[in-house]
Amino acid sequence: MSEVVVVTGASAGVGRAVAREFGRHGARVALLARTREGLDGARRDVEEAGGEALALPTDVANPDQVEAAAQSTEEAFGPVDVWVNNAMTTVFAPFARVEPAEFRRATEVTYLGAVWGTQSALKRMLPRDRGTIVQVGSALAYRGIPLQSAYCGAKHALKGFFESLRCELRHEGSKVHMTMVHLPALNTPQFEHCLARTPNHPMPVPPIYQPEVAARAVYWAAHARRREHYVGVPTVYTIWGNKLAPWFAERYLARTGFDAQQIPNEPLDPDRPVNLFEPVPGDAGAHGRFDAKAKDTSTQAWLAEHKGALGAVAAAGAGAVVTGLLSLRR
């Protein structure tokens, strides 16, 4: 039977690509987001890919709406097998220029939205003693950068929540699995509709990856029972570089992090649509404006996902060499 999957933030960006990836594998996918046009587009994507889809307009910052969406999913499709917490919003601005309500809203969606999603998923998975929850994290869950204090704070909080809950699941001997996928900079529409107070239009810090790279990693993590999955070389060196020399990362980002997150010579339009408090009408799709600069694949992610097979190949190769050497001695 096809697996049942819930994807939050499914109307655009990474969530849109994740929903389509599960659809490509024949899943029945519940799509949670605020934008009706985006949800309709995501539903078409999933169905065209070969899956089934259910569009559920939901503000993940509201736990009652998340719980209602979970109930509707199981009434339509049956027990949830995989729940993907991906929804996010952010504010691109120096912290001193972020209003309390703005910071709160970004935190409620990006962090608490994942908490409420996890709570609704566990309510159903724990009694069955099965299921997988995927938390979509970021390199910024380990290393905060300028202009993104709300988002970085939320992803750091999500990592702490993830670690705490994994301890509890292990203590209970539960077979419910939870994993976290840490992503690099991605070519998504968020840069067109996030709240920004910067001189120029915001952009992801290169190197940039397409959202399908993230989607394939999320799908793999949902079935691999790995604790964490790092995607992209920049994610690896950001995480490990910060562990080894946080003082260097801080100085480097203080010097380069502001300009690297803005498109040169493109002043920010003060009248651009913003989705922080209300959804932006229309179907934004999965991709942003940076297709020409974005990578379609990640060799690092592929190697991480196939390291078992690579290890077996290496061991077989080593065994063949040893066998050959022994045969020469006979």
Side-chain angles (χ1 to χ4, degrees):
M1 181 175 289
S2 301
E3 67 181 355
V4 176
V5 182
V6 175
V7 180
T8 72
S11 62
V14 171
R16 180 75 166 260
V18 167
R20 186 166 55 229
E21 181 67 18
F22 275 97
R24 196 170 67 83
H25 290 83
R28 290 168 289 171
V29 187
L31 310 163
L32 278 58
R34 295 177 299 166
T35 311
R36 170 53 71 179
E37 297 96 326
L39 284 172
D40 289 341
R43 177 182 51 77
R44 288 191 295 270
D45 282 357
V46 171
E47 292 172 351
E48 289 172 2
E52 295 181 58
L54 176 66
L56 296 169
T58 306
D59 183 347
V60 298
N62 185 320
D64 293 334
Q65 290 188 29
V66 175
E67 176 59 23
Q71 184 65 32
S72 296
T73 298
E74 296 213 329
E75 288 173 356
F77 287 155
V80 173
D81 299 298
V82 178
W83 187 295
V84 180
N85 285 313
N86 163 78
M88 59 78 62
T89 189
T90 189
V91 181
F92 270 84
F95 174 69
R97 298 189 62 196
V98 181
E99 297 295 329
E102 296 164 353
F103 202 100
R104 179 185 299 112
R105 175 63 182 172
T107 303
E108 288 175 344
V109 173
T110 309
Y111 172 51
L112 289 179
V115 172
W116 307 145
T118 301
Q119 197 166 58
S120 287
L122 288 178
K123 180 178 178 180
R124 290 155 177 83
M125 293 178 178
L126 286 175
R128 300 168 189 150
D129 203 24
R130 65 178 180 86
T132 298
I133 301 168
V134 182
Q135 311 289 7
V136 175
S138 168
L140 305 188
Y142 285 84
R143 172 68 251 177
I145 65 174
L147 301 178
Q148 294 207 53
S149 57
Y151 181 81
C152 293
K155 290 300 183 182
H156 272 71
L158 182 57
K159 179 175 174 290
F161 169 74
F162 163 80
E163 292 170 349
S164 176
L165 186 49
R166 272 187 61 94
C167 291
E168 294 180 9
L169 292 172
R170 185 177 293 275
H171 173 77
E172 296 297 330
S174 175
K175 293 180 182 177
V176 175
H177 178 62
M178 186 165 60
T179 184
M180 195 164 186
V181 181
H182 296 291
L183 302 179
L186 295 160
N187 174 35
T188 68
Q190 68 147 311
F191 303 94
E192 306 307 312
H193 51 227
C194 64
L195 176 61
R197 294 194 180 96
T198 50
N200 291 331
H201 193 287
M203 66 172 285
V205 178
I208 304 167
Y209 293 81
Q210 294 288 25
E212 287 76 18
V213 174
R216 291 192 294 270
V218 167
Y219 181 86
W220 179 85
H223 302 92
R225 299 194 72 83
R226 188 80 60 79
R227 181 180 183 276
E228 289 181 278
H229 185 25
Y230 300 166
V231 181
V233 170
T235 299
V236 175
Y237 69 61
T238 296
I239 292 172
W240 282 100
N242 187 65
K243 288 181 178 180
L244 296 171
W247 54 270
F248 175 80
E250 183 176 295
R251 292 180 181 181
Y252 175 78
L253 288 165
R255 186 173 69 253
T256 66
F258 285 75
D259 290 342
Q261 294 184 82
Q262 298 178 64
I263 300 175
N265 303 315
E266 184 175 331
L268 181 69
D269 178 2
D271 298 319
R272 63 198 285 274
V274 171
N275 75 345
L276 184 62
F277 293 104
E278 298 294 336
V280 173
D283 181 7
H287 287 212
R289 64 159 77 180
F290 306 100
D291 279 329
K293 299 179 179 180
K295 300 175 183 290
D296 294 314
T297 60
S298 167
T299 302
Q300 174 277 331
W302 188 93
L303 290 171
E305 292 163 14
H306 293 81
K307 66 180 184 180
L310 290 171
V313 170
V321 170
V322 171
T323 301
L325 289 172
L326 289 174
S327 68
L328 292 174
R329 296 178 61 186
R330 293 193 181 105

